[in-house]
Amino acid sequence: MSVPKVHKQPKPNVVVVPQSPLGPAAIMPDTVPSQETAKIRERAYELYEGRGPKPGQDEQDWFRAEREILRRE
């Protein structure tokens, strides 16, 4: 007995946006003037160094820095 071949259908590209416990979605760097982007980058690096330079939390550092800098403006 022969078993028919089953053709797998490709899965559609689905984008899942994770819910952030940090609050509203962050503004993407391209939409923030370059002066603010530089300040955010510097603050994110300060946060990185302050908690001990361990990789893996770069997005959290960026989002926190972004909130802090953009609230001041």
Side-chain angles (χ1 to χ4, degrees):
M1 228 185 244
S2 67
V3 178
K5 291 184 178 179
V6 177
H7 295 285
K8 292 184 179 180
Q9 295 293 324
K11 293 182 180 181
N13 291 333
V14 178
V15 177
V16 177
V17 180
Q19 296 297 320
S20 172
L22 303 175
I27 299 170
M28 298 306 294
D30 291 344
T31 62
V32 177
S34 61
Q35 278 181 290
E36 282 77 16
T37 301
K39 292 176 188 175
I40 292 167
R41 185 180 305 112
E42 290 172 13
R43 179 62 182 139
Y45 189 74
E46 289 172 359
L47 293 169
Y48 165 76
E49 287 186 320
R51 65 176 164 71
K54 298 175 191 167
Q57 295 183 353
D58 51 327
E59 286 183 353
Q60 292 87 349
D61 292 340
W62 180 272
F63 294 146
R64 179 176 170 188
E66 186 178 62
R67 284 192 315 274
E68 291 177 7
I69 298 300
L70 295 179
R71 280 187 190 147
R72 293 183 204 162
E73 304 298 316

